[in-house]
Amino acid sequence: MKFIKGILPISILLFSSHSFGNGAGCGLGSTLFSGASGGLMHVVAQITNASFSNTSSMTTGTFGCDTSTSLAKLNNPEFIKEARYIDDNFDSMLSNLSNGNGEALDNFLSMKNVSDSDRDGVAQVLKSNFDNIYSSSNTDSLTVAVKINEILENTYNQYAI
């Protein structure tokens, strides 16, 4: 019993630790605590999402959950790599996307094998679509990765996944 009491708080923090960087994702908790700030409130929102509504919200597309992402894309190793990079560098990526330049964005474009001759153009296209990429304070790294690739499909298709 002591083991369970000791593991539970650690497990909650580990499974919800990503919420510190980019919000709690989608679900009832994200909707209820949308104006709240700070790591503790993000963890509370994440726990609420996981406890009450996340699966049904993801299935039905409610409470801020986007159901338009192709499952094939989610299973693509390159797409997963990109989404993880965005997640690990979330704040820097958003700043760089809004400016159209920066180290995190440059590294991301290198990861996508964007040629030197296309790099400035791709960066400017992403900058001009920043409001579409980061459409709300609940936008998460997966959504950013999906939207970047959707934009590239329409502009620089050779770099889209």
Side-chain angles (χ1 to χ4, degrees):
M1 188 65 161
K2 287 181 182 179
F3 177 75
I4 292 174
K5 286 181 182 179
I7 289 295
L8 184 60
I10 293 170
S11 298
I12 289 171
L13 287 174
L14 286 175
F15 289 115
S16 61
S17 65
H18 76 281
S19 66
F20 283 101
N22 61 359
C26 66
L28 179 62
S30 297
T31 302
L32 291 175
F33 301 104
S34 64
S37 62
L40 179 61
M41 293 312 292
H42 284 210
V43 171
V44 170
Q46 181 71 27
I47 291 169
T48 304
N49 287 344
S51 301
F52 295 103
S53 67
N54 214 23
T55 303
S56 60
S57 297
M58 291 168 70
T59 302
T60 60
T62 56
F63 295 119
C65 294
D66 182 7
T67 60
S68 64
T69 303
S70 161
L71 291 177
K73 190 173 283 187
L74 294 176
N75 288 324
N76 182 312
E78 288 301 311
F79 180 80
I80 293 169
K81 181 179 167 184
E82 289 178 14
R84 284 186 179 153
Y85 178 83
I86 292 168
D87 192 53
D88 291 343
N89 299 281
F90 195 78
D91 293 334
S92 297
M93 276 294 293
L94 290 183
S95 174
N96 290 184
L97 286 168
S98 69
N99 295 324
N101 61 45
E103 184 178 359
L105 178 58
D106 192 49
N107 291 337
F108 180 76
L109 296 178
S110 292
M111 181 188 328
K112 290 188 76 59
N113 296 316
V114 175
S115 69
D116 290 339
S117 61
D118 287 339
R119 197 165 293 232
D120 288 340
V122 170
Q124 290 310 306
V125 165
L126 295 177
K127 177 185 176 182
S128 67
N129 284 281
F130 177 77
D131 290 337
N132 179 32
I133 295 169
Y134 188 70
S135 55
S136 79
S137 62
N138 289 333
T139 301
D140 60 15
S141 55
L142 179 62
T143 302
V144 171
V146 167
K147 290 187 176 186
I148 286 173
N149 279 288
E150 287 174 353
I151 291 164
L152 292 178
E153 284 173 9
N154 295 319
T155 55
Y156 288 88
N157 190 33
Q158 68 270 32
Y159 302 119
I161 292 178

